[in-house]
Amino acid sequence: MTTVNDNGEHHAGPHGYMSDKDEYLKRLRRIEGQARGLQRMVEEEKYCIDILTQVSAMTKALQAVGLGLLEDHMSHCVVDAARSGDEAETAAKIKEASDAIARFTR
């Protein structure tokens, strides 16, 4: 069964990342800790290059999470839609992936 949320996004069944949910949560908690560390560095007036180094590390960590979610979307949601034979649903999932890639690469 496919549902459409208030943003017009389509969601069918369990999401592709569910098998790795605990790993994603662990990574996001680590990123949350990095953000708190950055705040602390600014509060303590640390050297700007040191802060920028940590910003870069946090950005790369977020990108890794994003790429993993995108891969999960394509290998689960897009593939499932294609297997269903529903051309409109398949096109919608491919468009979601394309839009996500566009947002991700800006």
XYZ file of all heavy atoms in Angstrom:
819
model
N 0.835 -1.176 0.000
C 0.000 0.000 0.000
C 0.884 1.245 0.000
O 1.833 1.349 0.753
C -0.884 -0.014 1.239
C -1.751 1.216 1.349
S -2.779 1.101 2.821
C -2.548 2.722 3.440
N 0.564 2.198 -0.826
C 1.322 3.437 -0.919
C 0.535 4.544 -0.253
O -0.658 4.684 -0.473
C 1.593 3.809 -2.390
O 2.340 2.765 -2.975
C 2.341 5.108 -2.498
N 1.204 5.349 0.558
C 0.576 6.510 1.171
C 1.302 7.749 0.690
O 2.462 7.688 0.297
C 0.658 6.439 2.709
O 2.023 6.366 3.092
C -0.100 5.240 3.242
N 0.592 8.870 0.714
C 1.180 10.149 0.320
C 1.085 11.061 1.520
O 0.008 11.255 2.075
C 0.434 10.758 -0.898
C 1.041 12.097 -1.278
C 0.450 9.802 -2.074
N 2.219 11.629 1.946
C 2.200 12.522 3.102
C 1.797 13.930 2.684
O 1.492 14.193 1.522
C 3.539 12.489 3.852
C 4.673 13.111 3.074
O 4.477 13.808 2.093
N 5.883 12.855 3.514
N 1.803 14.866 3.644
C 1.376 16.240 3.381
C 2.270 16.960 2.382
O 1.874 17.955 1.795
C 1.335 17.039 4.688
C 0.251 16.548 5.624
O -0.721 15.928 5.141
O 0.369 16.773 6.842
N 3.490 16.478 2.197
C 4.417 17.091 1.244
C 4.297 16.488 -0.148
O 5.086 16.792 -1.026
C 5.859 16.945 1.737
C 6.095 17.689 3.025
O 5.520 18.746 3.248
N 6.922 17.140 3.885
N 3.355 15.556 -0.331
C 3.178 14.914 -1.618
C 4.180 13.805 -1.878
O 4.300 13.322 -2.992
N 4.897 13.373 -0.823
C 5.889 12.318 -0.990
C 5.224 10.962 -0.847
O 4.331 10.766 -0.031
C 6.996 12.479 0.067
C 7.745 13.786 -0.086
C 8.525 14.170 1.151
O 8.101 13.821 2.261
O 9.559 14.838 0.986
N 5.672 10.008 -1.639
C 5.097 8.671 -1.653
C 5.926 7.727 -0.794
O 7.135 7.734 -0.862
C 5.066 8.128 -3.093
C 4.237 8.965 -4.004
N 2.942 8.672 -4.293
C 4.519 10.104 -4.677
C 2.453 9.594 -5.118
N 3.401 10.470 -5.356
N 5.221 6.929 0.004
C 5.909 5.973 0.864
C 5.152 4.662 0.833
O 3.958 4.622 1.074
C 6.008 6.488 2.305
C 6.706 7.799 2.397
N 8.071 7.902 2.340
C 6.237 9.062 2.496
C 8.410 9.171 2.410
N 7.319 9.892 2.504
N 5.848 3.580 0.537
C 5.224 2.267 0.492
C 5.942 1.331 1.447
O 7.150 1.189 1.382
C 5.282 1.697 -0.922
N 5.197 0.714 2.333
C 5.764 -0.290 3.223
C 6.917 0.231 4.052
O 7.108 1.423 4.202
N 7.714 -0.685 4.608
C 8.857 -0.270 5.426
C 9.922 0.404 4.555
O 10.094 0.063 3.395
C 9.379 -1.577 6.020
C 8.884 -2.637 5.113
C 7.599 -2.126 4.510
N 10.584 1.356 5.131
C 11.606 2.104 4.396
C 12.867 1.260 4.213
O 13.172 0.398 5.031
C 11.937 3.398 5.126
C 10.726 4.251 5.355
N 9.977 4.786 4.329
C 10.106 4.630 6.498
C 8.972 5.470 4.821
N 9.024 5.387 6.142
N 13.629 1.563 3.168
C 14.812 0.786 2.825
C 15.901 0.793 3.865
O 16.691 -0.137 3.952
N 15.951 1.823 4.691
C 17.024 1.922 5.683
C 16.723 1.144 6.957
O 17.572 1.069 7.854
C 17.309 3.387 6.032
C 16.168 4.105 6.712
C 16.007 4.014 8.091
C 15.272 4.867 5.988
C 14.954 4.664 8.727
C 14.230 5.515 6.604
C 14.077 5.410 7.972
O 13.035 6.056 8.586
N 15.533 0.573 7.084
C 15.119 -0.046 8.342
C 16.071 -1.152 8.815
O 16.296 -1.294 10.017
C 13.689 -0.587 8.248
C 12.642 0.523 8.077
S 12.735 1.832 9.329
C 12.201 0.945 10.768
N 16.652 -1.893 7.901
C 17.571 -2.959 8.323
C 18.853 -2.390 8.931
O 19.542 -3.074 9.689
C 17.906 -3.879 7.151
O 18.600 -3.157 6.141
N 19.163 -1.134 8.629
C 20.356 -0.477 9.163
C 20.007 0.666 10.119
O 20.854 1.509 10.420
C 21.200 0.082 8.016
C 21.772 -1.001 7.127
O 22.156 -2.056 7.666
O 21.824 -0.786 5.906
N 18.777 0.692 10.593
C 18.296 1.800 11.425
C 19.205 2.058 12.625
O 19.570 3.207 12.890
C 16.876 1.508 11.898
C 16.294 2.584 12.772
C 14.882 2.206 13.204
C 14.341 3.181 14.224
N 13.001 2.791 14.677
N 19.575 1.009 13.345
C 20.422 1.195 14.526
C 21.769 1.808 14.166
O 22.288 2.661 14.891
C 20.622 -0.132 15.270
C 19.348 -0.602 15.957
O 18.446 0.235 16.200
O 19.243 -1.800 16.240
N 22.337 1.390 13.040
C 23.618 1.949 12.597
C 23.462 3.425 12.229
O 24.313 4.255 12.575
C 24.165 1.156 11.409
C 25.505 1.641 10.901
C 26.631 1.571 11.928
O 26.597 0.702 12.824
O 27.543 2.427 11.854
N 22.373 3.759 11.529
C 22.132 5.167 11.196
C 21.981 6.004 12.460
O 22.540 7.097 12.558
C 20.892 5.331 10.311
C 21.149 5.020 8.860
C 20.519 3.963 8.227
C 22.029 5.797 8.108
C 20.757 3.673 6.891
C 22.275 5.519 6.773
C 21.628 4.460 6.180
O 21.869 4.180 4.853
N 21.217 5.493 13.425
C 21.032 6.233 14.672
C 22.353 6.428 15.408
O 22.619 7.513 15.945
C 20.018 5.515 15.568
C 18.570 5.604 15.087
C 17.679 4.694 15.909
C 18.080 7.048 15.127
N 23.198 5.404 15.412
C 24.503 5.509 16.055
C 25.346 6.590 15.374
O 25.971 7.426 16.042
C 25.211 4.146 15.999
C 26.524 4.100 16.757
C 27.014 2.677 16.930
C 27.852 2.259 15.760
N 28.492 0.947 15.943
N 25.343 6.586 14.050
C 26.121 7.578 13.312
C 25.579 8.987 13.548
O 26.343 9.941 13.712
C 26.112 7.242 11.822
C 26.880 5.954 11.525
C 26.645 5.470 10.135
N 27.543 6.133 9.208
C 27.523 5.946 7.899
N 26.660 5.108 7.360
N 28.371 6.575 7.127
N 24.249 9.121 13.570
C 23.653 10.437 13.794
C 23.924 10.943 15.210
O 24.138 12.139 15.414
C 22.151 10.394 13.507
C 21.809 10.258 12.027
C 20.336 9.928 11.841
C 22.184 11.525 11.255
N 23.951 10.054 16.176
C 24.298 10.464 17.540
C 25.756 10.934 17.615
O 26.076 11.881 18.341
C 24.036 9.322 18.520
C 22.558 9.120 18.787
C 22.300 8.040 19.834
N 20.889 7.732 19.848
C 20.350 6.610 19.376
N 21.111 5.650 18.892
N 19.043 6.423 19.414
N 26.614 10.260 16.866
C 28.019 10.676 16.822
C 28.124 12.078 16.200
O 28.875 12.941 16.690
C 28.829 9.666 16.011
C 30.326 9.854 16.130
C 31.123 8.779 15.402
N 30.705 7.431 15.751
C 30.351 6.488 14.866
N 30.387 6.735 13.581
N 29.992 5.296 15.266
N 27.362 12.326 15.147
C 27.348 13.638 14.495
C 26.793 14.692 15.454
O 27.307 15.818 15.526
C 26.539 13.584 13.182
C 27.272 12.715 12.154
C 26.279 14.984 12.631
C 26.434 12.309 10.959
N 25.766 14.318 16.209
C 25.217 15.225 17.215
C 26.295 15.614 18.223
O 26.421 16.786 18.611
C 24.039 14.552 17.916
C 23.344 15.403 18.946
C 22.200 14.663 19.609
O 22.205 13.412 19.638
O 21.297 15.345 20.114
N 27.095 14.651 18.624
C 28.207 14.927 19.533
C 29.229 15.856 18.901
O 29.784 16.742 19.567
N 29.474 15.658 17.601
C 30.405 16.547 16.894
C 29.870 17.978 16.894
O 30.637 18.931 17.057
C 30.618 16.077 15.455
C 31.467 14.835 15.331
C 31.576 14.397 13.874
O 30.577 14.058 13.244
N 32.790 14.395 13.367
N 28.560 18.135 16.699
C 27.964 19.479 16.691
C 28.121 20.145 18.059
O 28.463 21.330 18.143
C 26.486 19.406 16.294
N 27.902 19.382 19.114
C 28.107 19.937 20.457
C 29.578 20.309 20.667
O 29.888 21.342 21.278
C 27.632 18.951 21.522
C 26.113 18.901 21.662
C 25.683 18.144 22.903
N 26.211 16.795 22.958
C 25.626 15.724 22.438
N 24.475 15.835 21.807
N 26.181 14.536 22.541
N 30.469 19.491 20.141
C 31.892 19.784 20.224
C 32.248 21.072 19.497
O 33.067 21.869 19.981
N 31.635 21.294 18.348
C 31.871 22.535 17.604
C 31.378 23.744 18.393
O 32.055 24.777 18.443
C 31.162 22.480 16.243
C 31.862 21.668 15.166
C 30.934 21.424 13.989
C 33.116 22.392 14.718
N 30.213 23.611 18.992
C 29.698 24.710 19.819
C 30.671 25.024 20.949
O 30.965 26.193 21.222
C 28.331 24.347 20.407
C 27.234 24.276 19.382
C 25.957 23.697 19.961
O 25.952 23.045 21.000
N 24.859 23.937 19.271
N 31.170 23.993 21.571
C 32.118 24.155 22.676
C 33.388 24.842 22.184
O 33.937 25.725 22.857
C 32.421 22.782 23.287
C 32.872 22.790 24.699
C 32.877 21.420 25.372
N 33.066 20.267 24.502
C 32.092 19.418 24.139
N 30.864 19.588 24.552
N 32.349 18.395 23.350
N 33.856 24.444 21.008
C 35.070 25.054 20.462
C 34.880 26.548 20.237
O 35.781 27.345 20.529
C 35.469 24.367 19.149
C 35.989 22.957 19.331
S 36.369 22.158 17.753
C 37.978 22.890 17.401
N 33.716 26.938 19.725
C 33.445 28.367 19.501
C 33.341 29.087 20.844
O 33.920 30.172 21.021
C 32.168 28.558 18.653
C 31.768 30.031 18.595
C 32.377 28.013 17.240
N 32.604 28.476 21.790
C 32.483 29.083 23.124
C 33.856 29.296 23.757
O 34.088 30.311 24.420
C 31.627 28.207 24.032
C 30.150 28.244 23.708
C 29.343 27.205 24.468
O 29.930 26.391 25.210
O 28.109 27.208 24.301
N 34.755 28.340 23.545
C 36.093 28.413 24.132
C 37.074 29.192 23.262
O 38.259 29.250 23.556
C 36.608 26.992 24.392
C 35.788 26.250 25.434
C 36.154 24.775 25.541
O 37.067 24.306 24.815
O 35.517 24.086 26.348
N 36.554 29.759 22.164
C 37.343 30.588 21.251
C 38.571 29.875 20.722
O 39.674 30.409 20.669
C 37.711 31.916 21.935
C 36.489 32.708 22.345
C 36.813 33.983 23.096
O 38.011 34.347 23.220
O 35.857 34.627 23.567
N 38.373 28.633 20.281
C 39.469 27.854 19.698
C 39.882 28.454 18.363
O 39.148 29.233 17.741
C 39.041 26.389 19.511
C 38.693 25.682 20.803
C 39.918 25.507 21.674
C 39.581 24.727 22.930
N 40.663 24.620 23.848
N 41.026 28.060 17.897
C 41.593 28.547 16.636
C 40.660 28.194 15.471
O 40.149 27.072 15.386
C 42.976 27.920 16.453
C 43.748 28.438 15.264
C 43.989 29.793 15.093
C 44.251 27.552 14.315
C 44.711 30.262 14.013
C 44.982 28.014 13.225
C 45.205 29.375 13.081
O 45.921 29.831 12.007
N 40.432 29.175 14.585
C 39.453 29.012 13.505
C 39.760 27.809 12.608
O 38.838 27.095 12.186
C 39.323 30.286 12.687
S 40.882 30.976 12.096
N 41.000 27.545 12.319
C 41.352 26.414 11.454
C 40.996 25.091 12.126
O 40.523 24.158 11.473
C 42.844 26.467 11.060
C 43.132 27.714 10.224
C 43.253 25.191 10.314
C 42.324 27.833 8.928
N 41.165 25.012 13.431
C 40.777 23.797 14.155
C 39.263 23.582 14.083
O 38.791 22.456 13.900
C 41.223 23.871 15.616
C 42.736 23.865 15.754
O 43.420 23.387 14.816
O 43.225 24.331 16.799
N 38.506 24.667 14.201
C 37.046 24.575 14.094
C 36.658 24.147 12.684
O 35.820 23.263 12.500
C 36.380 25.905 14.478
C 36.659 26.226 15.951
C 34.866 25.855 14.210
C 36.252 27.636 16.372
N 37.292 24.753 11.687
C 36.995 24.402 10.292
C 37.309 22.935 10.003
O 36.579 22.271 9.250
C 37.768 25.311 9.331
C 37.248 26.748 9.261
C 38.244 27.619 8.506
C 35.878 26.787 8.609
N 38.356 22.425 10.600
C 38.700 21.012 10.433
C 37.572 20.128 10.961
O 37.189 19.144 10.326
C 40.027 20.696 11.151
O 41.061 21.496 10.554
C 40.379 19.229 11.048
N 37.019 20.507 12.107
C 35.925 19.727 12.688
C 34.630 19.888 11.894
O 33.855 18.941 11.765
C 35.715 20.124 14.153
C 36.855 19.715 15.050
C 37.191 18.233 14.913
O 36.322 17.379 14.993
N 38.455 17.929 14.663
N 34.401 21.076 11.344
C 33.237 21.290 10.472
C 33.335 20.367 9.261
O 32.363 19.733 8.850
C 33.118 22.767 10.027
C 32.124 22.928 8.880
C 32.724 23.649 11.198
N 34.530 20.269 8.695
C 34.745 19.395 7.546
C 34.469 17.933 7.900
O 33.814 17.208 7.133
C 36.178 19.554 7.036
O 36.424 18.661 5.974
N 34.938 17.499 9.058
C 34.709 16.118 9.497
C 33.219 15.854 9.683
O 32.699 14.801 9.271
C 35.461 15.848 10.799
N 32.518 16.811 10.258
C 31.083 16.652 10.476
C 30.330 16.643 9.141
O 29.404 15.848 8.954
C 30.574 17.777 11.372
C 29.148 17.613 11.803
S 28.753 18.895 12.999
C 26.983 18.811 12.893
N 30.739 17.488 8.231
C 30.114 17.529 6.906
C 30.290 16.194 6.195
O 29.340 15.663 5.609
C 30.724 18.672 6.071
O 30.493 19.907 6.749
C 30.125 18.735 4.681
N 31.474 15.638 6.248
C 31.731 14.336 5.612
C 30.899 13.236 6.265
O 30.379 12.354 5.582
C 33.213 14.000 5.663
C 34.045 14.835 4.705
C 35.481 14.394 4.695
C 36.397 15.218 3.858
N 35.888 16.133 2.911
N 30.740 13.292 7.572
C 29.930 12.300 8.276
C 28.467 12.401 7.844
O 27.807 11.380 7.600
C 30.066 12.476 9.783
N 27.952 13.619 7.719
C 26.572 13.803 7.251
C 26.416 13.340 5.806
O 25.406 12.732 5.443
C 26.163 15.271 7.373
C 25.696 15.711 8.744
C 25.550 17.230 8.798
C 24.383 15.042 9.112
N 27.410 13.619 4.977
C 27.359 13.167 3.586
C 27.327 11.646 3.522
O 26.603 11.076 2.700
C 28.543 13.712 2.799
C 28.442 15.187 2.498
C 29.698 15.745 1.847
O 30.788 15.190 1.983
N 29.548 16.858 1.151
N 28.077 10.980 4.373
C 28.091 9.519 4.387
C 26.716 8.972 4.762
O 26.239 8.003 4.158
C 29.154 8.999 5.356
N 26.064 9.596 5.735
C 24.706 9.179 6.105
C 23.766 9.405 4.913
O 22.974 8.528 4.562
C 24.209 9.932 7.357
C 22.710 9.709 7.570
C 24.990 9.500 8.585
N 23.865 10.567 4.294
C 23.014 10.880 3.149
C 23.212 9.911 1.999
O 22.235 9.445 1.391
N 24.452 9.599 1.689
C 24.723 8.648 0.606
C 24.178 7.260 0.930
O 23.636 6.578 0.057
C 26.221 8.576 0.315
C 26.804 9.767 -0.430
C 28.326 9.674 -0.472
C 26.231 9.854 -1.834
N 24.295 6.852 2.181
C 23.753 5.560 2.592
C 22.247 5.520 2.451
O 21.679 4.545 1.947
N 21.576 6.588 2.881
C 20.116 6.650 2.749
C 19.695 6.671 1.278
O 18.710 6.024 0.900
C 19.575 7.878 3.478
C 19.626 7.808 4.993
C 19.337 9.180 5.605
C 18.650 6.768 5.520
N 20.439 7.387 0.468
C 20.137 7.423 -0.961
C 20.302 6.042 -1.591
O 19.456 5.590 -2.363
C 21.041 8.444 -1.661
C 20.816 8.646 -3.150
C 19.388 9.080 -3.442
C 21.808 9.670 -3.683
N 21.373 5.361 -1.225
C 21.587 4.003 -1.734
C 20.460 3.073 -1.286
O 19.943 2.282 -2.076
C 22.930 3.470 -1.248
C 23.253 2.085 -1.779
C 24.606 1.591 -1.310
O 25.495 2.418 -1.062
O 24.754 0.364 -1.194
N 20.068 3.188 -0.022
C 18.967 2.366 0.483
C 17.675 2.671 -0.261
O 16.908 1.769 -0.594
C 18.759 2.588 1.985
C 19.828 1.941 2.830
O 20.521 1.026 2.335
O 19.975 2.347 3.995
N 17.420 3.950 -0.528
C 16.208 4.330 -1.262
C 16.202 3.701 -2.653
O 15.202 3.127 -3.086
C 16.100 5.854 -1.385
C 14.918 6.299 -2.189
N 13.629 6.189 -1.736
C 14.842 6.823 -3.435
C 12.800 6.641 -2.671
N 13.518 7.032 -3.710
N 17.339 3.785 -3.320
C 17.399 3.259 -4.686
C 17.315 1.737 -4.704
O 16.591 1.166 -5.532
C 18.660 3.762 -5.378
C 18.593 5.272 -5.605
S 20.092 5.989 -6.278
C 20.228 5.158 -7.817
N 18.008 1.079 -3.780
C 18.035 -0.384 -3.812
C 16.777 -1.008 -3.220
O 16.504 -2.186 -3.469
C 19.273 -0.918 -3.099
O 19.236 -0.593 -1.728
N 16.019 -0.250 -2.467
C 14.808 -0.798 -1.869
C 13.560 -0.175 -2.494
O 12.791 -0.851 -3.178
C 14.825 -0.565 -0.351
C 13.637 -1.120 0.351
N 12.518 -0.375 0.590
C 13.384 -2.351 0.862
C 11.619 -1.111 1.215
N 12.122 -2.313 1.392
N 13.366 1.109 -2.289
C 12.139 1.770 -2.720
C 11.989 1.802 -4.237
O 10.923 1.479 -4.772
C 12.079 3.184 -2.146
S 12.164 3.241 -0.342
N 13.046 2.197 -4.938
C 12.976 2.277 -6.404
C 12.844 0.873 -7.003
O 12.012 0.640 -7.877
C 14.198 3.029 -6.983
C 14.200 2.976 -8.508
C 14.214 4.477 -6.497
N 13.641 -0.061 -6.512
C 13.588 -1.434 -7.031
C 12.226 -2.062 -6.768
O 11.644 -2.699 -7.651
C 14.736 -2.289 -6.446
C 14.536 -3.757 -6.743
C 16.073 -1.801 -6.994
N 11.688 -1.877 -5.558
C 10.368 -2.436 -5.250
C 9.291 -1.852 -6.153
O 8.399 -2.573 -6.614
C 10.000 -2.195 -3.788
C 10.734 -3.112 -2.830
O 11.452 -4.033 -3.300
O 10.594 -2.906 -1.605
N 9.365 -0.547 -6.396
C 8.391 0.085 -7.294
C 8.509 -0.487 -8.702
O 7.497 -0.782 -9.349
C 8.581 1.600 -7.308
N 9.737 -0.683 -9.166
C 9.945 -1.243 -10.509
C 9.414 -2.669 -10.589
O 8.780 -3.058 -11.579
C 11.419 -1.204 -10.879
N 9.634 -3.458 -9.548
C 9.147 -4.839 -9.530
C 7.632 -4.922 -9.497
O 7.050 -5.897 -9.951
C 9.715 -5.583 -8.322
C 11.152 -5.951 -8.476
C 11.635 -6.766 -7.287
N 13.041 -7.075 -7.418
C 13.888 -7.171 -6.418
N 13.476 -7.001 -5.175
N 15.154 -7.445 -6.629
N 6.983 -3.896 -8.934
C 5.523 -3.912 -8.825
C 4.855 -3.805 -10.191
O 3.699 -4.171 -10.335
C 5.041 -2.767 -7.930
O 5.098 -1.521 -8.627
N 5.594 -3.277 -11.164
C 5.025 -3.110 -12.497
C 4.211 -1.837 -12.642
O 3.686 -1.548 -13.710
N 4.090 -1.071 -11.580
C 3.342 0.185 -11.604
C 4.258 1.279 -12.148
O 5.124 1.782 -11.439
C 2.853 0.514 -10.190
C 1.999 1.772 -10.123
O 2.085 2.626 -11.030
O 1.244 1.904 -9.142
N 4.056 1.632 -13.404
C 4.956 2.595 -14.053
C 4.916 3.965 -13.398
O 5.952 4.630 -13.284
C 4.623 2.695 -15.540
C 5.001 1.448 -16.313
C 4.738 1.581 -17.804
O 4.794 2.714 -18.327
O 4.492 0.538 -18.439
N 3.736 4.397 -12.958
C 3.619 5.710 -12.318
C 4.382 5.722 -10.991
O 5.081 6.694 -10.667
C 2.154 6.070 -12.097
N 4.247 4.649 -10.209
C 4.955 4.552 -8.928
C 6.465 4.495 -9.150
O 7.232 5.137 -8.440
C 4.486 3.315 -8.156
C 5.132 3.147 -6.808
C 4.734 4.205 -5.790
O 3.753 4.930 -5.992
O 5.436 4.308 -4.771
N 6.886 3.736 -10.159
C 8.308 3.649 -10.483
C 8.847 5.018 -10.878
O 9.903 5.443 -10.394
C 8.551 2.628 -11.614
O 8.057 1.359 -11.184
C 10.024 2.518 -11.971
N 8.111 5.717 -11.729
C 8.535 7.052 -12.157
C 8.607 7.999 -10.964
O 9.538 8.808 -10.856
C 7.580 7.603 -13.207
N 7.658 7.886 -10.041
C 7.656 8.742 -8.851
C 8.881 8.472 -7.984
O 9.512 9.411 -7.472
C 6.371 8.531 -8.052
N 9.235 7.200 -7.804
C 10.395 6.850 -6.970
C 11.698 7.303 -7.627
O 12.615 7.764 -6.942
C 10.440 5.344 -6.695
C 9.305 4.854 -5.835
C 9.351 5.502 -4.474
C 8.178 5.063 -3.617
N 8.049 5.845 -2.404
N 11.785 7.171 -8.934
C 12.977 7.634 -9.648
C 13.080 9.156 -9.539
O 14.166 9.702 -9.307
C 12.964 7.163 -11.116
C 13.153 5.646 -11.155
C 14.029 7.883 -11.937
C 12.936 5.026 -12.515
N 11.951 9.856 -9.661
C 11.949 11.315 -9.526
C 12.378 11.716 -8.115
O 13.164 12.654 -7.947
C 10.550 11.866 -9.828
C 10.370 13.335 -9.531
C 10.349 14.150 -10.782
C 9.976 15.608 -10.561
N 10.974 16.414 -9.928
N 11.871 10.998 -7.089
C 12.301 11.283 -5.716
C 13.811 11.142 -5.590
O 14.475 11.988 -4.983
C 11.631 10.328 -4.730
C 10.185 10.601 -4.452
C 9.567 9.564 -3.524
O 10.173 8.512 -3.261
O 8.449 9.825 -3.066
N 14.359 10.064 -6.149
C 15.801 9.831 -6.081
C 16.564 10.931 -6.821
O 17.556 11.463 -6.315
C 16.158 8.454 -6.642
N 16.083 11.295 -7.999
C 16.742 12.356 -8.776
C 16.708 13.681 -8.036
O 17.714 14.407 -7.994
C 16.059 12.509 -10.140
O 16.228 11.357 -10.909
N 15.559 14.001 -7.447
C 15.440 15.244 -6.686
C 16.368 15.231 -5.473
O 16.986 16.242 -5.135
C 13.995 15.468 -6.242
C 13.054 15.796 -7.395
O 13.535 16.094 -8.515
O 11.827 15.737 -7.176
N 16.459 14.082 -4.807
C 17.343 13.962 -3.651
C 18.800 14.142 -4.065
O 19.573 14.809 -3.366
C 17.140 12.610 -2.960
N 19.172 13.558 -5.185
C 20.547 13.709 -5.690
C 20.820 15.177 -5.990
O 21.879 15.713 -5.640
C 20.785 12.823 -6.929
C 20.771 11.351 -6.522
C 22.103 13.189 -7.614
C 20.680 10.385 -7.700
N 19.858 15.859 -6.612
C 20.031 17.283 -6.922
C 20.214 18.097 -5.649
O 21.092 18.973 -5.578
C 18.829 17.786 -7.720
N 19.405 17.828 -4.613
C 19.559 18.549 -3.345
C 20.889 18.232 -2.694
O 21.546 19.092 -2.115
C 18.419 18.171 -2.381
C 17.097 18.816 -2.675
C 16.096 18.597 -1.560
N 15.892 17.214 -1.207
C 15.010 16.394 -1.772
N 14.238 16.827 -2.757
N 14.879 15.155 -1.354
N 21.289 16.983 -2.812
C 22.507 16.511 -2.172
C 23.768 17.110 -2.790
O 24.768 17.299 -2.114
C 22.538 14.983 -2.266
C 23.421 14.321 -1.263
C 23.122 14.357 0.091
C 24.548 13.634 -1.660
C 23.935 13.735 1.023
C 25.363 13.010 -0.747
C 25.052 13.067 0.603
N 23.702 17.426 -4.065
C 24.892 17.918 -4.771
C 24.964 19.434 -4.858
O 25.899 19.962 -5.448
C 24.989 17.310 -6.180
O 23.794 17.635 -6.913
C 25.151 15.804 -6.113
N 24.017 20.121 -4.277
C 24.047 21.604 -4.305
C 25.089 22.123 -3.356
O 25.427 21.616 -2.367
C 22.690 22.170 -3.898
C 21.707 22.093 -5.020
C 20.446 22.848 -4.670
N 19.369 22.252 -5.440
C 18.164 22.026 -4.990
N 17.839 22.381 -3.771
N 17.263 21.493 -5.749
